[in-house]
């Protein structure tokens, strides 16, 4: 017998049925994150936020169905795929929207795993009904209004001869009803409740994409629900409907839609691995953020100049960094070629701002010079005023940008050497999915963090931005934007993501 086959037959893999929660990637449980970090295959459904896959970079990611983006897998196909991987000895995460135990067909998957003797674990997730209390201001129980709650499917298994739901009992239920999967059947279940005696004026709340930045909420009467869930309304799944007096608390308990940037759509154009530094604070203020990098950061094709400079570090009296990326690429290369921080000797180190100094600290080094204004002109002025004139300076930079510091130091008689430790490369085209999203939902703001970024985004969008506002990181970027013919609506007071976020916030609240 083939040894690999024998191993897979006697040593099955493992399956974790993990609840992905209502949508926001931060609502994944710690145990769910651990399972993702430890797995080899992720089978995720259309209600699982794909941002959670960042926890499983080592795994194969396989979508088992998302409306409009891939074919919808049948349940028996999903089960067969899950067992196939497990039988091959793989650790599998079956990532399911919400909680695996709430309308998720988990029992079918568990029965199949047990039949094949595949070990498994069920990891709870936050279901939409519970998330509604926090994100829509609707507590599904309330000591003075509703002491019970019923979770009800609005879409029973097709082909049933008779419904298992007792609509007269549900109409009399002394508490809150939460209807799952009830969009296409809204007319049937609302009529069933009303016919069974439920007051047609019962207050309801329809929630779409609960916990996500584009969460939507409609408050209405029970007899109006079906009219809000027609195909023409575009109020499409994922949707839950809450039926009961507790929905009247949504206004007083709402915090989500009252954040200062709620309803604002903002384009973040930073490189992919740096976008979160701007995207996250904007999202926390309520913005719906679209991340579309305009430039990508890459190592130089040829390290010879950098390597030569590293070998000659003892010949310099100062080292200048004009960006965080320069710090990372330079010191990573220094370590890669077999040297360490001792080779810096008595060099003085200058950085363009606090953010660059922070990265420097991660290498256990402190900057000697940090200008109060975070730009090249301010740093040059500080270096020119140093107590001891600089004689030999190494400047670490990208291939694009101004030569302010180098030219200014040379003018004082200093010997200056520049090395390129990373490159800013234009992203040729906007992602088609991003462009489609922008066509459907116009932007309120575009953020630009360098002249190169500004030029590339302008190449993509041109005059099509209309009334979209533009926020920039610095006066230099603002100058480029104006030269391109766009208006500048907000300028960061310092070249940091915090300051850029604050500039947008100030513009929106004044």
């Amino acid at each position: 017998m083939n040894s690999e086959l024998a191993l897979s037959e006697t040593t099955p893999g493992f399956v974790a049925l993990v609840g992905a929660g209502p949508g926001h990637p931060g609502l994944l449980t710690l145990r769910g994150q651990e399972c993702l970090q430890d797995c080899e295959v992720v089978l995720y459904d259309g209600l699982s936020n794909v941002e959670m896959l960042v926890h499983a970079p080592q795994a194969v990611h396989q979508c088992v169905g998302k409306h409009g983006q891939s074919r919808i897998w049948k349940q028996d196909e999903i089960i067969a795929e899950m067992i196939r991987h497990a039988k091959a000895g793989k650790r599998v995460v079956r990532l399911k929207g919400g909680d695996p135990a709430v309308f998720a067909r988990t029992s079918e998957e568990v029965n199949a795993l047990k039949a094949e003797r595949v070990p498994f674990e069920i990891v709870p997730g936050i279901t939409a009904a519970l998330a509604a209390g926090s994100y829509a201001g609707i507590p599904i129980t309330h000591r003075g209004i509703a002491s019970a709650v019923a979770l009800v499917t609005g879409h029973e298994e097709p082909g049933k001869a008779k419904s298992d739901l007792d609509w007269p009992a549900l109409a009399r239920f002394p508490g809150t009803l939460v209807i799952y999967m009830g969009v296409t059947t809204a007319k049937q279940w609302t009529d069933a409740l009303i016919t069974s005696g439920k007051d047609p004026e019962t207050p309801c709340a329809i929630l779409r994409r609960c916990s996500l930045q584009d969460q939507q909420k409609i408050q209405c009467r029970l007899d109006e629900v079906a009219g809000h869930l027609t195909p023409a309304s575009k109020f499409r799944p994922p949707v839950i409907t809450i039926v009961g007096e507790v929905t009247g608390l949504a206004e007083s308990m709402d915090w989500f839609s009252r954040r200062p940037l709620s309803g604002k759509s903002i384009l973040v154009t930073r490189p992919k691995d740096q976008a979160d530094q701007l995207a996250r604070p904007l999202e926390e203020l309520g913005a719906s953020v679209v991340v579309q990098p305009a430039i990508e950061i890459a190592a130089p094709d040829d390290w010879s100049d950098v390597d030569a400079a590293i070998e000659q570090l003892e010949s310099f009296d100062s080292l200048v960094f004009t960006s965080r990326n320069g710090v990372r690429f330079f010191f990573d290369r220094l370590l890669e070629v077999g040297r360490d921080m001792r080779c810096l000797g008595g060099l003085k180190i200058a950085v363009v701002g606090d953010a660059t100094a922070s990265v420097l600290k991660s290498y256990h080094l402190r900057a000697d010079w940090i200008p109060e204004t975070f730009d090249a002109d301010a740093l040059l002025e500080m270096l020119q005023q140093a107590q001891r004139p600089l004689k030999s300076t190494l400047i670490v930079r990208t291939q694009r940008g101004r030569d302010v510091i180098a030219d200014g130091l040379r003018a004082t008689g200093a010997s200056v050497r520049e090395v390129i430790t990373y490159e800013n490369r234009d992203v040729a085209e906007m992602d088609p999915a991003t462009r489609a999203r922008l066509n459907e939902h116009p932007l309120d703001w575009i953020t630009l963090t360098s002249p190169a970024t500004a030029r590339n985004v302008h190449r993509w969008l041109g005059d099509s931005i209309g009334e979209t506002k533009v926020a920039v990181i610095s006066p230099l970027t603002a100058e480029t934007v104006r030269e391109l013919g766009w208006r500048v609506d907000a300028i960061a007071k310092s070249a940091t993501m915090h300051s850029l976020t604050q500039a947008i916030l100030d513009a929106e609240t004044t």
Side-chain angles (χ1 to χ4, degrees):
M1 179 181 291
N2 182 286
S3 60
E4 292 185 3
L5 179 60
L7 179 64
S8 67
E9 290 177 345
T10 58
T11 312
F14 183 87
V15 174
L17 303 163
V18 176
H24 192 288
L27 297 179
L28 177 70
T29 66
L30 289 175
R31 179 57 187 155
Q33 179 179 331
E34 290 171 352
C35 290
L36 285 170
Q37 291 171 335
D38 193 41
C39 75
E40 296 163 279
V41 178
V42 183
L43 304 177
Y44 64 98
D45 62 30
L47 296 181
S48 304
N49 193 323
V50 294
E51 291 182 32
M52 294 178 182
L53 299 179
V54 71
H55 300 302
Q58 77 290 345
V60 173
H61 304 159
Q62 189 168 351
C63 180
V64 293
K66 189 166 186 178
H67 289 280
Q69 295 188 25
S70 66
R71 75 178 183 88
I72 306 302
W73 288 44
K74 296 178 181 178
Q75 184 62 37
D76 58 355
E77 291 180 303
I78 296 173
I79 290 173
E81 188 72 0
M82 183 172 59
I83 291 174
R84 181 178 74 83
H85 287 296
K87 284 268 189 169
K90 304 291 187 182
R91 297 184 66 84
V92 180
V93 165
R94 170 74 173 99
L95 194 61
K96 306 163 74 72
D99 183 283
V102 180
F103 303 127
R105 304 185 72 172
T106 297
S107 61
E108 298 172 50
E109 297 176 357
V110 167
N111 289 339
L113 293 170
K114 289 175 65 177
E116 296 292 335
R117 298 184 179 181
V118 174
F120 65 90
E121 174 183 358
I122 302 175
V123 180
I126 300 173
T127 190
L130 304 183
S134 297
Y135 281 88
I138 301 174
I140 55 177
T141 63
H142 185 286
R143 64 185 301 174
I145 301 175
S147 298
V149 61
L151 308 184
V152 183
T153 178
H155 188 82
E156 293 187 85
E157 184 178 355
K160 272 188 177 181
K162 182 181 178 182
S163 172
D164 288 335
L165 294 173
D166 186 339
W167 291 107
L170 289 171
R172 298 190 303 271
F173 185 74
T176 305
L177 302 178
V178 183
I179 313 296
Y180 284 70
M181 302 174 292
V183 173
T184 59
T185 58
K187 178 65 175 171
Q188 291 95 304
W189 62 259
T190 53
D191 283 352
L193 283 172
I194 293 170
T195 301
S196 299
K198 193 75 173 174
D199 187 347
E201 296 187 4
T202 300
C204 298
I206 309 170
L207 302 178
R208 181 176 185 272
R209 291 175 62 80
C210 184
S211 80
L212 295 171
Q213 297 293 16
D214 57 349
Q215 172 181 294
Q216 294 172 276
K217 176 175 64 182
I218 295 176
Q219 292 188 257
C220 61
R221 308 185 332 175
L222 178 60
D223 59 1
E224 297 172 331
V225 168
H228 288 294
L229 295 178
T230 63
S233 72
K234 295 185 179 181
F235 211 77
R236 311 308 298 158
V239 167
I240 62 166
T241 303
I242 303 175
V243 181
E245 299 297 328
V246 291
T247 62
L249 297 172
E251 183 63 26
S252 62
M253 291 184 59
D254 179 31
W255 63 272
F256 189 79
S257 66
R258 292 178 178 171
R259 292 175 295 171
L261 295 182
S262 286
K264 301 299 179 182
S265 179
I266 301 179
L267 181 67
V268 169
T269 56
R270 301 200 78 205
K272 186 176 181 180
D273 62 346
Q274 299 173 11
D276 197 50
Q277 298 165 2
L278 179 58
R280 179 168 294 184
L282 290 172
E283 287 177 340
E284 290 176 351
L285 290 168
S288 178
V289 174
V290 180
V291 175
Q292 172 58 66
I295 61 174
E296 57 186 10
I297 305 300
D301 294 329
D302 183 357
W303 283 104
S304 57
D305 285 347
V306 179
D307 293 347
I310 290 173
E311 286 298 318
Q312 299 163 17
L313 275 175
E314 293 82 357
S315 67
F316 299 101
D317 58 19
S318 57
L319 182 58
V320 177
F321 293 100
T322 59
S323 71
R324 288 169 289 181
N325 288 318
V327 174
R328 292 192 187 97
F329 278 90
F330 180 81
F331 285 113
D332 287 351
R333 184 62 181 179
L334 183 146
L335 296 171
E336 186 178 335
V337 298
R339 306 202 73 183
D340 59 33
M341 303 308 161
R342 288 175 296 179
C343 68
L344 297 179
L347 269 71
K348 296 286 188 179
I349 301 177
V351 296
V352 75
D354 283 344
T356 307
S358 178
V359 177
L360 190 67
K361 285 181 181 179
S362 70
Y363 292 91
H364 309 288
L365 296 168
R366 294 182 180 276
D368 297 286
W369 294 296
I370 309 173
E372 292 185 5
T373 302
F374 303 155
D375 60 36
D377 297 285
L379 180 56
L380 172 62
E381 183 177 353
M382 176 172 280
L383 295 176
Q384 290 173 331
Q385 295 175 357
Q387 291 182 349
R388 294 174 56 186
L390 302 182
K391 296 180 180 179
S392 182
T393 301
L394 177 63
I395 298 178
V396 176
R397 53 171 295 178
T398 180
Q399 91 285 13
R400 293 197 289 204
R402 299 188 302 162
D403 298 319
V404 172
I405 298 175
D407 292 345
L409 290 178
R410 288 190 180 107
T412 66
S415 172
V416 176
R417 181 168 177 178
E418 299 175 83
V419 290
I420 294 172
T421 58
Y422 70 100
E423 296 181 358
N424 290 324
R425 300 172 182 170
D426 291 339
V427 174
E429 298 292 340
M430 181 178 287
D431 186 279
T434 301
R435 190 171 288 279
R437 178 175 174 180
L438 299 189
N439 289 337
E440 186 175 349
H441 302 289
L443 291 167
D444 293 289
W445 285 91
I446 294 172
T447 60
L448 302 170
T449 54
S450 71
T453 297
R455 284 188 285 269
N456 203 31
V457 174
H458 184 272
R459 182 176 62 83
W460 287 342
L461 300 177
D463 296 331
S464 67
I465 67 168
E467 296 303 311
T468 300
K469 297 177 182 178
V470 177
V472 299
I473 194 73
S474 66
L476 178 62
T477 305
E479 181 181 340
T480 301
V481 170
R482 294 188 181 104
E483 289 173 356
L484 292 168
W486 283 355
R487 183 185 69 248
V488 175
D489 300 279
I491 304 176
K493 292 182 179 179
S494 62
T496 65
M497 297 306 105
H498 172 78
S499 185
L500 183 56
T501 300
Q502 187 63 49
I504 294 173
L505 186 60
D506 290 343
E508 284 289 339
T509 56
T510 54

